[in-house]
Amino acid sequence: MNAEANYTIQRWFGRRTGRKLSAARRRLMTVLLPRLRLDPYSDLSDAAALFPKIADDLWMEIGFGAGEHLVAQASRHPNIGFIGCEPYVNGVAALLAAINDKALTNIRVFDDDVRQLMPAMPAACLGRLYILFSDPWPKVRHHRRRITVESNLCSFARLLRPGAEVWFASDHTEFAAWTLERVLRDRRFTWLARRADDWRLPPEGWIETRYEQKARAQGLKPVYLNFMRSDADSP
Ligand SMILES: C[S@@+](CC[C@H](N)C(=O)[O-])C[C@H]1O[C@@H](n2cnc3c(N)ncnc32)[C@H](O)[C@@H]1O
């Protein structure tokens, strides 16, 4: 168990359930989820040991929704181990169905708030972190619920090794600017923008998410921000 682990239960404000699950998905939740679920109270110190085949690296997606992006990445990169975090039960069930259909062996699931898992994970274990279309919590009094608050940036900085990347996208411009402002003043991250309009363009290798498709259909223009973990030890 990680020495820095702090198991304070944090309040979850998002949704947990939606429509009733089909019998097949309920079965996957009962049979497959326990085999793939990460337990923050167990020993997670050897990240590669979490997967049946040796994983070259470990990447994580926070808030995978129905899992389309996670499944596409895991299919594209069979030698990478993936951790997907999502408390929304219907989304977890959809992911399990896709894992089962495609017989993927390189995804582990945390079906809860990532803040409960991160303290149990070893430092510098991640090579990439995806935060895609996370809830923008637009009201000022809810900004502290945003995934990119300083306390979470500290957790990300601990888990990402120097050179590792964070891929962030949002269709909410104010939330994206708020995130950029916080990341830019933290020396542990470097914005990888190469051109003035970099934030308008998805990075190479991008896989469109379900939420992103919906946003585009509504005429919204997503913002794409890529950051790299630097060598700095403190913000
Ligand atoms: C707007 S949806 C986007 C889903 C997906 N990334 C996409 O682009 O289609 C954001 C998702 O992030 C999840 N989420 C938000 N905060 C989270 C957290 N702290 N830990 C895990 N998942 C989180 C929510 O449950 C929700 O399903």
Side-chain angles (χ1 to χ4, degrees), residues 12 14-16 61-69 84-88 91 110-116 118 131-137 145-147 152 169 171 208-213:
W12 170 251
R15 65 179 177 165
R16 286 252 178 211
E61 179 167 350
I62 298 175
F64 57 71
E68 299 91 344
H69 174 268
C85 304
E86 176 56 71
Y88 182 52
F110 185 60
D111 55 329
D112 211 329
D113 183 337
V114 71
R115 293 174 301 170
Q116 309 300 340
M118 290 191 293
I131 306 173
L132 308 176
F133 300 88
S134 189
D135 309 77
W137 295 109
R145 298 180 187 174
R146 288 176 163 174
I147 193 71
N152 288 341
D171 61 341
E208 207 171 55
T209 78
R210 177 193 283 217
Y211 198 87
E212 181 179 12
Q213 286 167 3

Side-chain angles (χ1 to χ4, degrees), residues 152-184:
N152 288 341
L153 292 183
C154 284
S155 301
F156 304 156
R158 188 181 73 79
L159 297 181
L160 293 160
R161 77 177 70 89
E165 293 188 13
V166 182
W167 288 29
F168 173 95
S170 177
D171 61 341
H172 194 280
T173 312
E174 187 274 328
F175 170 43
W178 188 93
T179 295
L180 182 59
E181 188 191 326
R182 271 151 190 78
V183 176
L184 285 180

